[in-house]
Amino acid sequence: FQPKVLAGRRLLITAGPTFEPIDPVRGITNHSSGKMGFAIARAAAEAGAQVTLVAGPVHLPTPRGVRRIDVMTAQQMFDTVLPQAGQHDVFVATAAVADWRPASLSEHKIKKEGKKQAPTFELTENPDILAAVASLAQPPYCVGFAAESEQLLAHARAKLLRKRIPLIVGNLGPATFGRDDNSLLLVDAHSERPLPADGSQADKLTLARALMTELAQRLAA
Ligand code: C5P
């Protein structure tokens, strides 16, 4: 039984990778499975929240009671999130958004035949969805995620300041992408604490539920 600690709250969540096309059959993406974001969407709905989940290309079922919008690219995710962010109380950015996309999209498949040299691709920067939502005039409570291979706390706190958000969730676990277990570090401006509290691993749904309890407390404070 989950107490309805988020009853009446509206949560907007991004999840999964983005896919940045190079030509009609190829693109740039990453190994994000979307599992953490989908677990958060499920836990939020269980806790009584109205949940909108904006998902990149993933192979996961939509959690019960969750409104899901599928997108491919970072720009599509941005265009979907920004107009509705202001109507939500909380924005949780779990998506592993591609930092760059090919500067131009080839209309036809790039062929190997007849080319002396391998092609090169120019990249251009994608918009930072979380930073854009956080800088709205009346932003929702913004929660970011940080996947780092070293110096998690320092990087997480730097990210908090750079994006002007109140809470960052760091992944402590090794190579968390695609796994069911994870270990988190909650970082705000003044403090940090591991989840689970003893720094062990827990499955992503258990962590998501604990995170929703934490979120409810912060919204009520
Ligand atoms: O800047 P960095 O990618 O390290 O920050 C990670 C956090 O920012 C995550 O919460 C991620 O979902 C979000 N993000 C975003 N849009 C981007 C890049 C990251 O919303 N273009």
Side-chain angles (χ1 to χ4, degrees), residues 93-95 97 99 127-130 144-145 159 162-163:
T94 71
V97 183
D99 290 317
D128 189 319
I129 303 165
L130 178 55
F145 270 70
K159 212 165 280 191
R162 194 171 66 241
K163 305 203 185 207

Side-chain angles (χ1 to χ4, degrees), residues 70-91:
D70 286 317
V71 298
M72 289 293 269
T73 67
Q75 189 64 50
Q76 288 167 358
M77 192 175 273
F78 181 93
D79 292 342
T80 304
V81 164
L82 259 288
Q84 52 181 320
Q87 288 114 55
H88 288 81
D89 303 297
V90 179
F91 177 53

Side-chain angles (χ1 to χ4, degrees), residues 18-176:
T18 63
F19 181 91
E20 311 296 333
I22 294 170
D23 71 13
V25 297
R26 305 183 181 93
I28 299 171
T29 188
N30 62 65
H31 283 305
S32 169
S33 66
K35 282 179 182 172
M36 193 67 226
F38 274 61
I40 289 172
R42 176 174 164 182
E46 283 173 359
Q50 269 179 53
V51 182
T52 307
L53 175 61
V54 180
V58 295
H59 300 280
L60 292 172
T62 308
R64 183 194 298 260
V66 167
R67 182 169 77 108
R68 171 178 179 174
I69 303 166
D70 286 317
V71 298
M72 289 293 269
T73 67
Q75 189 64 50
Q76 288 167 358
M77 192 175 273
F78 181 93
D79 292 342
T80 304
V81 164
L82 259 288
Q84 52 181 320
Q87 288 114 55
H88 288 81
D89 303 297
V90 179
F91 177 53
V92 186
T94 71
V97 183
D99 290 317
W100 297 282
R101 66 175 181 273
S104 62
L105 168 62
S106 171
E107 189 188 342
H108 299 291
K109 182 180 174 189
I110 300 165
K111 303 294 284 179
K112 187 169 150 186
E113 294 77 29
K115 282 207 178 59
K116 288 206 182 75
Q117 282 183 332
T120 56
F121 298 106
E122 195 184 326
L123 300 178
T124 187
E125 204 173 328
N126 272 327
D128 189 319
I129 303 165
L130 178 55
V133 171
S135 65
L136 290 172
Q138 290 186 308
Y141 187 91
C142 288
V143 182
F145 270 70
E148 302 289 346
S149 54
E150 37 93 51
Q151 298 211 319
L152 177 62
L153 181 57
H155 285 304
R157 197 146 277 137
K159 212 165 280 191
L160 195 78
L161 297 175
R162 194 171 66 241
K163 305 203 185 207
R164 298 166 185 274
I165 58 174
L167 182 63
I168 278 267
V169 181
N171 286 300
L172 277 173
T176 171

